[in-house]
Amino acid sequence: MPNAPVISEHRWNHLTAPELRALAARDAVVLLPVGSTEQHGAHLPTGVDDFLAAEVCRRAAALADPVPVVVAPSVWCGLAEHHMPFGGTLTLSLPTLHALLRDVCGSVLRAGFRRILLVNGHGGNVTALKALVDELTSELSAPLAVTSYFTVGRQALADVLETQDHLMHACEGETSMSLAAFPALVREQELPEAVGPVISLQSEDTSPVYRSVPFDTVTANGTAGDARGATAAKGERMLDGCARALSDLLRAGIWPPSEDR
Amino acid sequence: MPNAPVISEHRWNHLTAPELRALAARDAVVLLPVGSTEQHGAHLPTGVDDFLAAEVCRRAAALADPVPVVVAPSVWCGLAEHHMPFGGTLTLSLPTLHALLRDVCGSVLRAGFRRILLVNGHGGNVTALKALVDELTSELSAPLAVTSYFTVGRQALADVLETQDHLMHACEGETSMSLAAFPALVREQELPEAVGPVISLQSEDTSPVYRSVPFDTVTANGTAGDARGATAAKGERMLDGCARALSDLLRAGIWPPSEDR
Amino acid sequence: MPNAPVISEHRWNHLTAPELRALAARDAVVLLPVGSTEQHGAHLPTGVDDFLAAEVCRRAAALADPVPVVVAPSVWCGLAEHHMPFGGTLTLSLPTLHALLRDVCGSVLRAGFRRILLVNGHGGNVTALKALVDELTSELSAPLAVTSYFTVGRQALADVLETQDHLMHACEGETSMSLAAFPALVREQELPEAVGPVISLQSEDTSPVYRSVPFDTVTANGTAGDARGATAAKGERMLDGCARALSDLLRAGIWPPSEDR
Amino acid sequence: MPNAPVISEHRWNHLTAPELRALAARDAVVLLPVGSTEQHGAHLPTGVDDFLAAEVCRRAAALADPVPVVVAPSVWCGLAEHHMPFGGTLTLSLPTLHALLRDVCGSVLRAGFRRILLVNGHGGNVTALKALVDELTSELSAPLAVTSYFTVGRQALADVLETQDHLMHACEGETSMSLAAFPALVREQELPEAVGPVISLQSEDTSPVYRSVPFDTVTANGTAGDARGATAAKGERMLDGCARALSDLLRAGIWPPSEDR
Amino acid sequence: MPNAPVISEHRWNHLTAPELRALAARDAVVLLPVGSTEQHGAHLPTGVDDFLAAEVCRRAAALADPVPVVVAPSVWCGLAEHHMPFGGTLTLSLPTLHALLRDVCGSVLRAGFRRILLVNGHGGNVTALKALVDELTSELSAPLAVTSYFTVGRQALADVLETQDHLMHACEGETSMSLAAFPALVREQELPEAVGPVISLQSEDTSPVYRSVPFDTVTANGTAGDARGATAAKGERMLDGCARALSDLLRAGIWPPSEDR
Amino acid sequence: MPNAPVISEHRWNHLTAPELRALAARDAVVLLPVGSTEQHGAHLPTGVDDFLAAEVCRRAAALADPVPVVVAPSVWCGLAEHHMPFGGTLTLSLPTLHALLRDVCGSVLRAGFRRILLVNGHGGNVTALKALVDELTSELSAPLAVTSYFTVGRQALADVLETQDHLMHACEGETSMSLAAFPALVREQELPEAVGPVISLQSEDTSPVYRSVPFDTVTANGTAGDARGATAAKGERMLDGCARALSDLLRAGIWPPSEDR
C-alpha cells in the first residue's frame, strides 16, 4: 500500500492528480501555509517561520479526522522588509504577495476545492493577510479564511512558555519548536547569546500608533525574547498543542453553511 | 487678521500655498483622515466614518500646541465591500487605496512635510492601513504612521459608553458623536429601532480565524450595538476625549529622532 | 421631519442607505464633483477648485426639480503636477485617478444608480476626464458623462466677469465665487497683489501644440488673471448662473433613451 | 551617395543607427505619428488616420530645413472603441496606449534625442494624448509635446474644404487627401454613397457635456461629412498646407530654451 | 476595379471595414507581423526586422489561395534592450508588449476573426512571443499561434546562404533580403565592413545557460555574420522561399478542428 | 560543529543570516530552483518538477567546490495552464511569475549576492524564464542567468534513458529520478499503465509553429513517454549526471568578468 503513508501526510505535492481530484470531490479543506524566509538571529535558520507553519499544518491535517485536509506547498516568502538590514532575508512587496495568493488560491478553486484556510507563521504577514483575505474573497468570489498558527494555538503556547507568554522572534518558543522539528538546523552553540528585548504580538499590540519599525532598531542580534531556555520537549508540546487547536478548529467548522458556497 | 481663524483650523485645503510652505518649514505633522462612505443603518448618514475621523483630527490639531499640525482633506472612501449589500455604499479595492495613498502621501512629502499620520475612522480599514503603512514606508522612504481615532481614544470612549465598551457600527458611540458634531444629519425618529448585535473591534477580535464576513449576515438593519441611548452630551465627551488623546500623542511624539528622517 | 433638510441638500454622505436606495429606484442622477487641492496664489485657499465644483453641484441639485439628483462626495485631488513647484499642492498620477474613478463609479452603479455625471472644477483635469470617461464607459459598460462647471456655465461666467471672459486661476472669477461661498477663507489683504498674466481656457486654447507647462513659468505668484476687482456679489451671480445652467442641462436630459441602459 | 535620398526621407526606420546617432547629436526633433486603424466607411481603407498622420509628418520633415527632423514609425493603433461596432477596427485601452508611448518615447530619449512631438491623426486620440503628454512629461522628465495634423493645419484645411470647414470622418477632407496620397486604396465606386451627418471637431465641440458616443449612433454607414466632392487636387493642397504649417511650427520652435532640458 | 489590387494585397489597413467583415465571415487567417526597430550595423536601416516580417507575410498571403488571409499592420517595436547601446534602437518592456498584443489580438477577435498567427522577424522576440502566446491563449480564450519567418523558412534560407546556414543579424541573409525588397535603403558603400562574429539562432542555441547578452559585447559594429557577399538575387530567393513555406503551412492548416473554437 | 552539515547542504533557508552574509561576502552563486506543482499522471506526485529541480541544485552545490553555492527555496509554482484540465495543478500567470521573481531576485541582490542562476525543472517554464531573465536583467541591473536541469544535463540523461533520449512528462526519466530521490511518493502499482505518446522537448521542438496545446489533447492519462521501465538505479545515475554537469558549469564560470558587475 504505497499510497497510504503519502495520503496520511496530506501534502498536495506528495499527492497525485487523481488523488487530489478525489479529495476535492470530498470537499476537503486546503491549508495554505504562509511563512517567511528571514533572519532569525545567529542560532536559527532563516526558514523557521516557513518550516513551523508547514509543520503545524501537517500535524493538524493528521489529527483532523474525519475532516479531509490537504496541505498545499508553503508560501515561503512573505513581508519581511523590516528584517532586510540583517541580510539573509527575502521579501515580497504587498502587490506581489497579492498576485501570488490570487493565482495559487484561484488554482486551488479551479482544482475543485472550495474551502481554503491560509495558515500564517510570520508576525509581519498578519495584517496584510487579513487585508488580502478581504480582497481575494471578493475577487475570487470564494470565502477564504486566515489564521496564524500562533493565534489558533495562543493558549497552547502560553501554557508551555516560561520566559514569555506569546511568540516573539527567534525566541524560547520558536527555538524550542525548531529543536523539536529540525534540531540539526539549530546552532546550539549560539544559544547562550540568543536573548533580546521583549516585544508584543503585533496583533495584540496595544500601542495606539502603528509604524513600520526596522527590526534592527529593536534588537541588535536579530532576536526578540529569550531563547536560552529553549528545549525540544517544550517545542514538541507547543507544536502538538498548536496542531490540536487547529485540528479542533477544522472539526468545529470554519465556514457557516450559508457562506460556504 | 483674516488668516488667524483659518490657520487655527489647521485644514490643508483652507490654507494657502505660502502658509503651507511655512508650516512645512516648521516641520508640522500632517494628519490624513481616512474614512468610508457606507451604510450606517437607517438613522445615520453614510458619511459618518469620514466625518468623525476628520472631526477628531481637527479638534486634536487645535489642542496640539506647540506641535504644528495640518489636517489634510479626508480620504472619504475606504474598504467597504462587506457593506455593499445594503446599498448606499462606496468602496475601493485594496490596490486603488494603495495607489491613492501613495500619491497623496507622496505629494505631502514633495510639499516639504516629513511627518504623516493617517487617522482612520472605519473598522474595515484597520488591517489594510497597517499593511499599506508598511508598504508605503518602504516605497516612499518615509516613516508613515497610522492610528484609528477609536484606538487612540479607546479609553475615552469606554469611559462614556454605557451599552458597550468600544465602538461598533452605527452604535451608541457613533450615534452620540454624530449628535454632537452634526445633529441635523441624525434621523432621530429612527433611533428606537437602531439596535443590533454586539460585535467586537476587529483589532481586538480574539476569534482565531479571520474571514471576510458580509455585514448583512451580522445585522439585518445595518446596525451593530445599541444606539437607542445615544445623546449629544455623550458624543461631545467622546469626541473631546479622542481628540485629547490624539493631541497628547502628537505632543509626546510619534517618531523617534533616529527614524524621523 | 429631520430628514427633509438633508434630503434637500442631496448629498450622498448626508443621506442614509435606505434613502439612497430609494433615490436609486427613482433613477436619480449622481453628480460626482472632481476638483483639485492646489496652490491658488497667496489670497485663496488650496481647496478652491474642489469647493467650487461641489458648491455648484449642490446648488444645481437644489434647482433640478423634478429630476432627482444626488451629489457624491467630491474627488478633491486631481492632476496638478504643473502646480507642484509652488508647494501646498496634492496631485494624482493618471493611473491613480483612473483607478479611483473606476472604483467610485463602479460602486455608484452597484448601489443601483445608472446615470453619473462628473462635474469638474479644475482646468488641469479637463482632458484627462474626457479620456477617462471614454475608458470607463467601456470598462463599466455604463454611459458616464463629464462636464466642468465653468464649461456648462461658460456664458454665465462671461456675463459677470469684467477683466476676463472666462475662468483663469485664482482670478476675478474664482476669487469672487470664493468670496460668495466661503469668504472667511479669502485672504483679502493679499488681493492687491493678486494679479497675473491672462491665460486661455485649456479647452479653448487655440495654440496648435499642447505641452505640459509648469505653472511657475507662467506666473510667479501662482495667479493668472486679475483678482483685484473680485466681489462676493459677482461671485454669487456666477455660482447661481453656473448652477442654473447645470440644472437646466439635467432637466433637458443628458442621456438619450437609446444609450441610457 | 545612396544615403542622401534616405536621409531626405527623414524616416527613423529607413535610417541606420550611426545616422540616427548623428541626428541625435544635432538635436533633431523626433515626430511620432499617432493614428488609428479603424473603419472609414465603405470607400476608405481602415488605415487612413495612420497614413495621413505619417504623410504629413514626412512632408513636414522635408520642408523643415534647417531644423533636423526624424519621423518615427507611426503608432497605428489608437483609441477607437467607439468604432468597434462597424468591424474592421483595432483599438487599445488607455493604459496600453500609455505604456506603449512611455516605452517608445523613453527609447527615443535613450537614443539621445530630447525633443519629441507626437503628431496625431485621429479625433478619438486628441484628449487622451494631451492627458498622456502631461503624464509622460512627468514620468520621463522630458518636455513632450503633441499636436494633430488637422489642428496645426486647421486653416489650410478650411481654405480648401467646400462642404465643411474642418475634418470629420471619411469626409471630403480625408477622402481628398487619400486620393492624393494613396489613390489606389480609395474605392471610388463607393463615393456616391459616402455622405453622413455633419459633426464637430471634438476639440472644438461646444456642447457642455462630454460623453463617449458609439459612432454607429451617429452614422449608419461609418461616414461623417460629405465625401462626394473629394478630389486628389484638393487633397494635395490640404496635405501640402498641413505639412507647411507643421514645418513652420518646427522652425518657429516649440520648446522655449528654459524648458528644453 | 480599384478594389482588386488592394484585396490582392491582403493588408488590413488597405481594406475597408465591410471588406474585413466579409473576410472574417470567411474565417480568414490574420497574420500579425512582429518586428523590431533596432540597429543593424552601418549598412542596413533600423527597420529591417519589421520590414522583412511584413514582406514575408504579404508574399505568403498572396500565395495562400484558397486560404483567405489578412495581414495586420506590423508591430514594429519589440524587445531590443540588448541593442540599446548602439543608439537608433526602440524597445518595449515585456509587460508593454504583452498589453499591446492583448489589445490588438483582442480587437481582431472582436472584429470576428478567430485564427491569428503572429509572424515574428526578430530573434530577441522569439522566447517572449512563445510565452505571451501561452498567456494570451488563456486570457483571450483563443488559440493564438506564433512562428518566425526564419523558422518556418529555415530550410529555404539554408539553401541559399553561403557564409552561414541560418539568419544572424545584419548578415548575408538579412542584407540580401533587404537588397531584394528595399534596395534604396541599403548603404552599399558600407558593405565591405559589414562583417562580424558568427552567432547561433537563439532558438537553436545549444549552450546550456541563457543570459541576456548586451549585443555590443558580441560585435563592435552591430553586425553578426558576413554581409559582404549579399545580393538581391539571393534575397529574392530567400524571401520567396520563406513566403512559400509560410503559405504551405497556412494551407496545411495550423489549428486542429478540435481546438479551433 | 553542528553547523557543518548544514552549511554543506547549502540551503538558504537552513542557513542563518550571519552565515548568509558571509557567503555573500565570498561572492557565492545563488541557485534558484523553479519548478511546478502539476499533474504527473497517476503514478507520480504533483510536486515532481519542483522536487527534482531542487534535488539537482542541492547535489550540484555539494559538488561545486571551490565555488561557494547557496540554494534558495524553490519556486514551486510555475506556468501550468495547459495541465489544468487534469486537476491537482497550480499555475501562475506570467505577470505574477514576473513579479515573484523580481522580488525574490531583488531580495537576493539586496542580501549582498551578485550571481543568480535560475535552475528550471518544468518544460512549460522554459521560454517564459528566458524572457523574464531578459526583462529582469534590465529591471534589476543584474546579470541573471537561467538553465533547466534537463538542458545542462541533456547528455547525462540521454546516456541513461532507454525508451527516449530526453525528458518528457512523468516519463522513464522523471519516474526513475523520483524512485531515486523520493521512492515513497511513487505509486508503483500504477506504473504498468504509465505510458503515453512521445513528445519533444519544447526547447528542441522543430515544428515551425508554436501554439499553447492543452495537455489533455496530447495524453489522456497525463503521461508522455514510457515510465514502465523506470528504476531507481537509472534515476540515481541521471540525478548524479545532471548535478555533475551543473557543478562543472559553475566551476567553469557562467558570467564573464566584464559583465559580472
Side-chain angles (χ1 to χ4, degrees):
Chain A
M1 291 199 314
N3 283 2
V6 172
I7 288 181
S8 76
E9 289 192 22
H10 307 278
R11 295 171 69 162
W12 183 296
N13 54 11
H14 284 200
L15 296 168
T16 66
E19 291 159 0
L20 285 160
R21 288 200 303 269
L23 281 158
R26 291 175 58 204
D27 203 14
V29 174
V30 177
L31 303 182
L32 176 60
V34 184
S36 182
T37 298
E38 69 184 32
Q39 76 82 20
H40 270 77
H43 58 295
L44 291 186
T46 53
V48 165
D49 288 355
D50 175 39
F51 300 158
L52 292 178
E55 178 74 16
V56 172
C57 286
R58 289 191 296 260
R59 290 177 179 231
L63 295 166
D65 189 71
V67 178
V69 177
V70 181
V71 182
S74 63
V75 174
W76 47 261
C77 198
L79 304 178
E81 182 67 33
H82 52 311
H83 288 290
M84 293 301 279
F86 289 95
T89 300
L90 305 175
T91 189
L92 302 181
S93 70
L94 181 62
T96 297
L97 182 60
H98 184 176
L100 180 60
L101 293 177
R102 181 195 297 124
D103 285 7
V104 171
C105 293
S107 295
V108 170
L109 295 168
R110 290 174 66 192
F113 297 93
R114 299 181 311 126
R115 300 196 271 184
I116 303 175
L117 176 63
L118 281 65
V119 181
N120 175 51
H122 169 49
N125 292 341
V126 170
T127 54
L129 289 178
K130 288 181 181 175
L132 291 174
V133 156
D134 281 344
E135 193 71 9
L136 291 170
T137 294
S138 170
E139 285 183 23
L140 299 173
S141 297
L144 301 190
V146 62
T147 188
S148 296
Y149 80 84
F150 44 78
T151 300
V152 69
R154 180 78 176 81
Q155 189 57 48
L157 294 167
D159 288 345
V160 178
L161 290 165
E162 293 178 332
T163 61
Q164 57 194 80
D165 71 349
H166 60 271
L167 274 206
M168 295 181 188
H169 185 82
C171 61
E172 180 194 354
E174 290 190 342
T175 306
S176 293
M177 290 187 280
S178 297
L179 285 166
F182 36 87
L185 301 188
V186 180
R187 280 64 165 169
E188 298 196 44
Q189 79 278 23
E190 304 286 353
L191 284 180
E193 307 295 326
V195 57
V198 170
I199 59 171
S200 57
L201 268 188
Q202 189 192 72
S203 57
E204 297 179 358
D205 188 359
T206 58
S207 65
V209 172
Y210 177 76
R211 292 180 301 121
S212 185
V213 179
F215 210 64
D216 59 346
T217 65
V218 174
T219 164
N221 67 359
T223 298
D226 186 347
R228 290 173 298 185
T231 69
K234 289 182 192 171
E236 181 58 32
R237 286 173 58 205
M238 286 189 275
L239 285 168
D240 183 64
C242 290
R244 287 189 184 282
L246 179 53
S247 66
D248 287 347
L249 190 72
L250 293 171
R251 262 192 305 271
I254 290 172
W255 294 272
S258 62
E259 289 174 53
D260 198 6
R261 296 267 128 205
Chain B
M1 290 198 316
N3 283 4
V6 173
I7 288 181
S8 74
E9 290 191 23
H10 307 277
R11 296 171 71 161
W12 183 297
N13 53 13
H14 285 200
L15 296 168
T16 66
E19 289 160 2
L20 285 160
R21 288 200 303 270
L23 280 159
R26 291 176 59 203
D27 204 14
V29 173
V30 176
L31 303 182
L32 177 59
V34 184
S36 182
T37 298
E38 68 183 33
Q39 76 81 20
H40 270 76
H43 59 296
L44 290 186
T46 53
V48 165
D49 288 356
D50 175 40
F51 300 158
L52 293 179
E55 177 75 14
V56 172
C57 285
R58 289 191 295 260
R59 289 177 179 231
L63 294 166
D65 190 71
V67 178
V69 177
V70 180
V71 182
S74 62
V75 175
W76 47 261
C77 197
L79 304 178
E81 182 66 33
H82 52 311
H83 288 290
M84 292 301 278
F86 289 95
T89 300
L90 306 175
T91 188
L92 302 181
S93 70
L94 182 61
T96 297
L97 182 59
H98 184 175
L100 179 59
L101 293 177
R102 182 195 295 124
D103 285 8
V104 171
C105 292
S107 295
V108 170
L109 295 167
R110 290 175 66 192
F113 297 92
R114 298 181 311 127
R115 301 195 270 185
I116 303 176
L117 176 65
L118 282 65
V119 180
N120 175 51
H122 170 48
N125 292 340
V126 170
T127 55
L129 289 179
K130 287 181 180 174
L132 291 174
V133 156
D134 282 344
E135 193 71 10
L136 291 171
T137 294
S138 171
E139 286 184 23
L140 298 174
S141 298
L144 302 191
V146 62
T147 188
S148 296
Y149 81 83
F150 44 78
T151 300
V152 69
R154 181 78 175 83
Q155 189 57 49
L157 294 167
D159 289 346
V160 177
L161 290 165
E162 294 178 333
T163 61
Q164 57 193 81
D165 72 349
H166 60 270
L167 275 206
M168 294 180 187
H169 184 82
C171 61
E172 179 193 354
E174 290 190 343
T175 307
S176 294
M177 290 187 280
S178 297
L179 286 166
F182 35 87
L185 300 188
V186 181
R187 279 63 165 168
E188 296 195 46
Q189 78 278 26
E190 304 286 352
L191 283 179
E193 308 295 327
V195 58
V198 170
I199 59 172
S200 58
L201 267 189
Q202 189 192 70
S203 58
E204 297 179 357
D205 188 358
T206 57
S207 64
V209 172
Y210 177 76
R211 291 180 302 121
S212 185
V213 180
F215 209 66
D216 59 345
T217 66
V218 175
T219 164
N221 67 1
T223 298
D226 185 347
R228 290 172 297 184
T231 69
K234 289 182 192 171
E236 180 58 32
R237 286 174 58 205
M238 286 189 275
L239 285 169
D240 184 64
C242 290
R244 287 190 183 281
L246 178 53
S247 66
D248 286 348
L249 189 72
L250 293 171
R251 262 192 306 272
I254 290 171
W255 295 272
S258 63
E259 288 173 53
D260 197 6
R261 297 268 125 205
Chain C
M1 292 202 312
N3 283 2
V6 173
I7 289 182
S8 75
E9 289 192 21
H10 307 277
R11 296 172 69 163
W12 183 297
N13 54 12
H14 284 200
L15 296 168
T16 67
E19 290 159 1
L20 285 159
R21 288 201 302 271
L23 281 159
R26 291 176 58 204
D27 203 15
V29 174
V30 177
L31 302 182
L32 176 59
V34 183
S36 183
T37 298
E38 68 184 32
Q39 77 81 20
H40 269 77
H43 58 295
L44 291 186
T46 53
V48 165
D49 288 355
D50 175 39
F51 299 158
L52 293 179
E55 178 74 16
V56 171
C57 286
R58 289 191 295 261
R59 290 178 178 227
L63 295 167
D65 189 70
V67 178
V69 177
V70 181
V71 182
S74 63
V75 175
W76 46 261
C77 198
L79 305 178
E81 182 67 32
H82 51 311
H83 287 290
M84 293 300 278
F86 289 95
T89 301
L90 305 175
T91 189
L92 303 181
S93 70
L94 181 62
T96 297
L97 182 60
H98 185 175
L100 179 60
L101 292 178
R102 182 195 296 123
D103 286 8
V104 170
C105 292
S107 296
V108 170
L109 295 168
R110 290 175 67 192
F113 297 92
R114 299 180 310 126
R115 300 195 270 186
I116 304 175
L117 175 64
L118 282 66
V119 181
N120 175 51
H122 169 48
N125 292 341
V126 171
T127 55
L129 289 178
K130 288 181 181 175
L132 292 173
V133 156
D134 281 343
E135 193 71 11
L136 291 170
T137 293
S138 170
E139 286 185 22
L140 299 173
S141 299
L144 301 191
V146 62
T147 189
S148 296
Y149 80 83
F150 44 77
T151 300
V152 69
R154 179 77 175 83
Q155 187 58 49
L157 294 167
D159 288 347
V160 177
L161 290 165
E162 294 177 333
T163 62
Q164 56 193 81
D165 72 349
H166 60 270
L167 275 205
M168 296 180 187
H169 185 82
C171 60
E172 180 194 354
E174 291 189 344
T175 306
S176 293
M177 290 187 280
S178 297
L179 285 167
F182 35 87
L185 300 186
V186 180
R187 279 62 164 170
E188 297 195 44
Q189 79 279 24
E190 305 286 351
L191 284 179
E193 307 295 325
V195 56
V198 171
I199 60 171
S200 59
L201 267 189
Q202 190 192 70
S203 57
E204 298 180 356
D205 189 357
T206 56
S207 63
V209 172
Y210 178 75
R211 291 179 303 122
S212 186
V213 179
F215 210 64
D216 59 346
T217 65
V218 174
T219 164
N221 67 0
T223 297
D226 185 348
R228 290 173 299 185
T231 69
K234 289 182 193 172
E236 180 59 32
R237 286 173 57 204
M238 286 188 276
L239 286 169
D240 183 64
C242 290
R244 287 191 184 280
L246 179 53
S247 66
D248 288 347
L249 190 71
L250 294 170
R251 261 192 306 270
I254 290 172
W255 294 272
S258 62
E259 289 173 52
D260 198 6
R261 295 268 128 200
Chain D
M1 291 202 313
N3 283 4
V6 172
I7 289 181
S8 75
E9 289 193 21
H10 305 278
R11 295 172 69 163
W12 183 296
N13 53 12
H14 285 200
L15 296 168
T16 67
E19 290 160 0
L20 285 160
R21 288 200 304 271
L23 281 159
R26 291 175 58 202
D27 203 14
V29 173
V30 176
L31 303 182
L32 177 60
V34 183
S36 182
T37 298
E38 68 184 32
Q39 75 82 19
H40 270 76
H43 59 296
L44 290 187
T46 54
V48 165
D49 288 356
D50 176 38
F51 299 158
L52 293 179
E55 177 74 15
V56 171
C57 286
R58 289 191 295 262
R59 290 177 178 230
L63 295 167
D65 189 70
V67 178
V69 177
V70 181
V71 182
S74 63
V75 174
W76 47 260
C77 198
L79 305 178
E81 182 67 32
H82 51 312
H83 288 290
M84 292 301 277
F86 289 94
T89 301
L90 306 175
T91 188
L92 303 181
S93 70
L94 181 63
T96 297
L97 182 60
H98 184 176
L100 179 60
L101 293 178
R102 182 195 296 122
D103 286 8
V104 170
C105 293
S107 296
V108 170
L109 295 168
R110 290 175 67 192
F113 297 93
R114 299 180 310 125
R115 300 195 269 185
I116 303 176
L117 175 64
L118 282 65
V119 181
N120 175 52
H122 169 49
N125 292 341
V126 171
T127 54
L129 289 178
K130 288 181 181 175
L132 291 173
V133 156
D134 282 344
E135 193 71 10
L136 291 170
T137 294
S138 171
E139 286 184 22
L140 299 173
S141 299
L144 301 190
V146 63
T147 189
S148 296
Y149 80 83
F150 45 77
T151 300
V152 70
R154 181 77 176 82
Q155 188 58 50
L157 294 167
D159 288 345
V160 177
L161 290 165
E162 293 177 333
T163 61
Q164 56 194 80
D165 72 348
H166 60 270
L167 276 205
M168 295 181 186
H169 185 81
C171 60
E172 179 193 354
E174 291 190 343
T175 307
S176 293
M177 290 187 280
S178 297
L179 286 167
F182 35 85
L185 300 186
V186 181
R187 279 63 165 168
E188 297 194 44
Q189 77 279 26
E190 304 286 352
L191 284 179
E193 307 295 325
V195 57
V198 170
I199 59 171
S200 59
L201 267 189
Q202 190 192 69
S203 57
E204 298 179 356
D205 189 359
T206 57
S207 64
V209 172
Y210 178 76
R211 292 180 303 122
S212 186
V213 179
F215 209 65
D216 59 345
T217 65
V218 174
T219 164
N221 67 359
T223 297
D226 186 347
R228 290 173 297 184
T231 69
K234 288 182 193 172
E236 180 58 32
R237 285 173 59 204
M238 286 188 275
L239 286 169
D240 183 64
C242 290
R244 287 191 183 280
L246 178 52
S247 66
D248 287 347
L249 190 72
L250 294 171
R251 261 192 305 270
I254 291 172
W255 294 273
S258 61
E259 288 173 53
D260 199 6
R261 297 268 124 204
Chain E
M1 291 198 315
N3 282 3
V6 172
I7 289 180
S8 74
E9 288 191 22
H10 307 277
R11 296 171 69 162
W12 183 297
N13 53 13
H14 285 200
L15 295 169
T16 67
E19 290 160 1
L20 285 160
R21 288 201 303 270
L23 282 159
R26 291 175 59 203
D27 204 14
V29 174
V30 176
L31 303 182
L32 177 59
V34 184
S36 182
T37 298
E38 68 184 32
Q39 76 82 18
H40 269 77
H43 58 296
L44 290 187
T46 53
V48 165
D49 289 356
D50 175 39
F51 300 157
L52 293 179
E55 177 74 15
V56 171
C57 285
R58 289 191 296 260
R59 289 177 178 230
L63 295 166
D65 189 72
V67 178
V69 177
V70 181
V71 182
S74 63
V75 175
W76 47 261
C77 197
L79 305 178
E81 182 66 33
H82 51 312
H83 287 290
M84 292 301 277
F86 289 95
T89 300
L90 306 175
T91 189
L92 302 181
S93 70
L94 181 62
T96 297
L97 182 60
H98 185 176
L100 179 60
L101 293 178
R102 182 195 296 123
D103 285 8
V104 171
C105 293
S107 295
V108 170
L109 296 167
R110 289 174 67 192
F113 297 93
R114 299 181 311 125
R115 301 194 270 186
I116 303 175
L117 175 64
L118 282 64
V119 180
N120 175 49
H122 169 48
N125 292 340
V126 171
T127 54
L129 289 179
K130 287 181 181 174
L132 291 174
V133 156
D134 282 344
E135 193 71 11
L136 291 170
T137 294
S138 170
E139 286 184 23
L140 299 173
S141 298
L144 302 190
V146 63
T147 188
S148 296
Y149 81 83
F150 45 78
T151 299
V152 69
R154 181 76 175 84
Q155 189 56 50
L157 294 168
D159 289 346
V160 176
L161 290 165
E162 294 178 332
T163 61
Q164 56 193 79
D165 72 349
H166 60 270
L167 275 206
M168 295 181 188
H169 185 81
C171 61
E172 180 194 353
E174 291 189 343
T175 306
S176 294
M177 289 187 281
S178 297
L179 286 166
F182 35 86
L185 301 188
V186 181
R187 279 64 165 167
E188 296 195 45
Q189 79 278 24
E190 305 285 353
L191 283 180
E193 307 295 326
V195 58
V198 170
I199 60 172
S200 59
L201 267 189
Q202 190 193 72
S203 58
E204 297 179 358
D205 188 359
T206 57
S207 64
V209 172
Y210 178 76
R211 291 179 302 122
S212 185
V213 179
F215 210 64
D216 59 344
T217 67
V218 174
T219 165
N221 67 0
T223 298
D226 185 348
R228 290 173 298 186
T231 69
K234 288 182 192 172
E236 180 58 32
R237 285 174 57 204
M238 286 189 275
L239 286 169
D240 183 63
C242 290
R244 288 191 183 280
L246 179 53
S247 66
D248 287 347
L249 189 73
L250 293 171
R251 261 192 306 272
I254 290 171
W255 294 272
S258 63
E259 288 173 53
D260 198 7
R261 297 267 126 205
Chain F
M1 292 204 310
N3 282 3
V6 171
I7 288 182
S8 75
E9 289 192 23
H10 307 278
R11 295 171 69 162
W12 183 297
N13 55 12
H14 284 201
L15 295 168
T16 67
E19 291 159 2
L20 285 160
R21 287 201 303 270
L23 281 158
R26 292 175 57 205
D27 203 14
V29 173
V30 176
L31 302 182
L32 177 59
V34 183
S36 182
T37 298
E38 68 185 32
Q39 76 81 20
H40 270 77
H43 60 295
L44 291 186
T46 52
V48 166
D49 289 355
D50 175 39
F51 299 159
L52 293 178
E55 178 74 15
V56 171
C57 286
R58 289 190 296 261
R59 290 177 179 231
L63 295 166
D65 189 70
V67 178
V69 177
V70 181
V71 182
S74 64
V75 175
W76 47 261
C77 198
L79 304 179
E81 183 67 32
H82 51 312
H83 287 289
M84 293 301 279
F86 289 95
T89 300
L90 306 175
T91 189
L92 302 182
S93 70
L94 181 62
T96 297
L97 182 60
H98 185 175
L100 180 60
L101 293 177
R102 181 194 297 124
D103 285 9
V104 170
C105 293
S107 295
V108 170
L109 295 168
R110 289 174 67 191
F113 297 93
R114 298 181 311 127
R115 299 195 270 185
I116 304 175
L117 176 63
L118 282 65
V119 180
N120 176 51
H122 169 48
N125 292 340
V126 171
T127 54
L129 289 179
K130 288 181 181 176
L132 291 174
V133 156
D134 281 344
E135 193 70 11
L136 291 169
T137 294
S138 169
E139 286 184 22
L140 299 173
S141 297
L144 302 190
V146 63
T147 188
S148 296
Y149 80 84
F150 43 78
T151 300
V152 70
R154 180 77 175 82
Q155 188 57 49
L157 294 167
D159 288 347
V160 177
L161 290 165
E162 293 178 333
T163 61
Q164 57 193 81
D165 72 349
H166 60 270
L167 274 205
M168 294 180 188
H169 185 82
C171 60
E172 179 193 355
E174 290 190 342
T175 307
S176 293
M177 290 187 280
S178 297
L179 285 166
F182 37 86
L185 300 187
V186 180
R187 280 63 165 170
E188 297 195 42
Q189 77 279 22
E190 303 287 353
L191 283 180
E193 307 296 326
V195 57
V198 170
I199 60 172
S200 58
L201 267 188
Q202 189 192 73
S203 57
E204 297 179 359
D205 189 357
T206 57
S207 64
V209 172
Y210 178 76
R211 291 180 302 121
S212 186
V213 179
F215 209 65
D216 59 346
T217 65
V218 174
T219 165
N221 67 359
T223 298
D226 185 347
R228 290 173 298 184
T231 70
K234 288 182 194 172
E236 180 58 32
R237 285 173 59 206
M238 286 188 276
L239 285 169
D240 183 63
C242 290
R244 288 192 184 279
L246 179 52
S247 67
D248 287 347
L249 189 71
L250 293 171
R251 262 193 305 271
I254 289 172
W255 294 273
S258 62
E259 289 173 53
D260 198 7
R261 297 269 126 199

